[in-house]
Amino acid sequence: SVEGNARAMTLRDTSTLRLVLAFIFSDEECMVAMLENLSKFTDPDIIAVRSYLRLGFIGLAGFQMGQNKLANKCLAYFKSLSKLGSPNASPIYHFMKAVAHPSRDKY
Protein backbone atom coordinates (compact mmCIF):
# COMPACT_ATOMS: atom_id res chain seq x y z
CA SER A 1 0.00 0.00 0.00
CA VAL A 2 1.26 3.47 -0.90
CA GLU A 3 1.00 6.01 1.93
CA GLY A 4 1.80 9.67 2.58
CA ASN A 5 4.09 11.56 0.22
CA ALA A 6 4.63 8.48 -1.96
CA ARG A 7 0.88 8.36 -2.57
CA ALA A 8 0.83 12.03 -3.65
CA MET A 9 3.77 11.50 -6.01
CA THR A 10 2.15 8.40 -7.49
CA LEU A 11 -1.12 10.28 -8.01
CA ARG A 12 0.80 13.17 -9.64
CA ASP A 13 2.69 10.91 -12.04
CA THR A 14 -0.18 8.63 -13.02
CA SER A 15 -2.53 11.59 -13.45
CA THR A 16 0.04 13.27 -15.70
CA LEU A 17 0.27 10.25 -17.98
CA ARG A 18 -3.51 9.86 -18.04
CA LEU A 19 -3.80 13.56 -18.95
CA VAL A 20 -1.36 13.11 -21.84
CA LEU A 21 -3.45 10.26 -23.24
CA ALA A 22 -6.72 12.11 -22.63
CA PHE A 23 -5.37 15.14 -24.51
CA ILE A 24 -4.12 13.05 -27.43
CA PHE A 25 -7.41 11.15 -27.72
CA SER A 26 -9.65 14.16 -26.89
CA ASP A 27 -11.23 12.49 -23.86
CA GLU A 28 -12.73 15.59 -22.27
CA GLU A 29 -14.21 13.81 -19.25
CA CYS A 30 -10.83 12.34 -18.35
CA MET A 31 -9.06 15.69 -18.99
CA VAL A 32 -11.34 17.44 -16.51
CA ALA A 33 -10.78 14.73 -13.88
CA MET A 34 -6.99 14.75 -14.34
CA LEU A 35 -6.83 18.56 -14.28
CA GLU A 36 -8.64 18.43 -10.96
CA ASN A 37 -6.12 15.87 -9.65
CA LEU A 38 -3.17 17.91 -10.92
CA SER A 39 -4.39 21.37 -9.89
CA LYS A 40 -2.35 21.13 -6.69
CA PHE A 41 0.80 20.09 -8.58
CA THR A 42 1.44 23.23 -10.66
CA ASP A 43 4.81 24.06 -9.14
CA PRO A 44 7.88 22.71 -10.93
CA ASP A 45 9.86 19.99 -9.22
CA ILE A 46 13.56 19.16 -9.27
CA ILE A 47 13.33 16.90 -12.35
CA ALA A 48 12.89 19.26 -15.31
CA VAL A 49 11.60 16.63 -17.73
CA ARG A 50 8.81 15.63 -15.36
CA SER A 51 7.90 19.29 -14.79
CA TYR A 52 7.87 20.06 -18.52
CA LEU A 53 5.64 17.10 -19.32
CA ARG A 54 3.21 17.77 -16.46
CA LEU A 55 3.00 21.56 -16.79
CA GLY A 56 2.94 21.45 -20.59
CA PHE A 57 -0.07 19.15 -20.70
CA ILE A 58 -1.82 20.87 -17.79
CA GLY A 59 -1.55 24.08 -19.81
CA LEU A 60 -2.66 22.55 -23.11
CA ALA A 61 -5.58 20.65 -21.60
CA GLY A 62 -6.47 23.59 -19.37
CA PHE A 63 -6.85 25.93 -22.34
CA GLN A 64 -8.79 23.30 -24.27
CA MET A 65 -11.17 22.74 -21.35
CA GLY A 66 -11.60 26.43 -20.50
CA GLN A 67 -9.63 26.29 -17.24
CA ASN A 68 -7.68 29.40 -18.17
CA LYS A 69 -6.46 30.33 -14.69
CA LEU A 70 -4.72 26.99 -14.28
CA ALA A 71 -3.44 27.01 -17.87
CA ASN A 72 -2.13 30.58 -17.62
CA LYS A 73 -0.05 29.62 -14.59
CA CYS A 74 1.67 26.97 -16.71
CA LEU A 75 2.02 29.37 -19.63
CA ALA A 76 3.73 31.90 -17.34
CA TYR A 77 6.22 29.23 -16.23
CA PHE A 78 7.24 28.47 -19.82
CA LYS A 79 7.30 32.16 -20.69
CA SER A 80 9.79 32.84 -17.89
CA LEU A 81 11.98 29.94 -18.99
CA SER A 82 11.82 31.13 -22.61
CA LYS A 83 12.94 34.61 -21.58
CA LEU A 84 15.87 33.01 -19.76
CA GLY A 85 16.88 31.36 -23.03
CA SER A 86 15.73 27.78 -22.48
CA PRO A 87 15.68 26.12 -25.90
CA ASN A 88 13.30 23.43 -24.62
CA ALA A 89 10.74 25.82 -23.14
CA SER A 90 10.26 28.05 -26.19
CA PRO A 91 8.42 25.54 -28.42
CA ILE A 92 6.13 24.54 -25.54
CA TYR A 93 5.43 28.20 -24.76
CA HIS A 94 4.53 29.04 -28.37
CA PHE A 95 2.38 25.93 -28.76
CA MET A 96 0.47 26.74 -25.57
CA LYS A 97 -0.07 30.33 -26.79
CA ALA A 98 -1.45 28.98 -30.06
CA VAL A 99 -3.84 26.65 -28.22
CA ALA A 100 -4.93 29.50 -25.94
CA HIS A 101 -5.80 31.77 -28.89
CA PRO A 102 -6.01 29.60 -32.01
CA SER A 103 -5.38 31.23 -35.37
CA ARG A 104 -3.67 30.25 -38.58
CA ASP A 105 -0.83 32.70 -37.90
CA LYS A 106 -0.05 31.31 -34.44
CA TYR A 107 0.20 27.76 -35.71
Side-chain angles (χ1 to χ4, degrees):
S1 145
V2 180
E3 304 280 331
N5 195 37
R7 178 173 167 62
M9 290 188 299
T10 301
L11 177 65
R12 176 199 63 203
D13 294 343
T14 57
S15 294
T16 299
L17 296 175
R18 287 183 67 192
L19 180 63
V20 170
L21 291 172
F23 183 81
I24 291 169
F25 293 108
S26 299
D27 184 341
E28 292 182 357
E29 183 179 330
C30 186
M31 275 192 274
V32 169
M34 294 307 105
L35 286 170
E36 184 176 320
N37 286 351
L38 292 167
S39 64
K40 52 189 163 279
F41 298 108
T42 57
D43 293 327
D45 57 52
I46 196 160
I47 300 174
V49 173
R50 184 169 52 204
S51 293
Y52 277 29
L53 181 68
R54 184 179 68 254
L55 296 176
F57 277 96
I58 288 174
L60 292 171
F63 282 125
Q64 187 168 337
M65 300 311 302
Q67 296 187 20
N68 293 337
K69 184 177 179 183
L70 180 62
N72 279 318
K73 184 173 183 179
C74 298
L75 183 64
Y77 171 72
F78 287 107
K79 181 179 182 178
S80 67
L81 289 178
S82 294
K83 284 185 175 184
L84 293 172
S86 171
N88 296 322
S90 294
I92 299 169
Y93 171 66
H94 290 292
F95 184 43
M96 284 176 65
K97 277 181 52 175
V99 170
H101 305 288
S103 71
R104 183 175 292 266
D105 293 337
K106 291 200 178 173
Y107 279 99

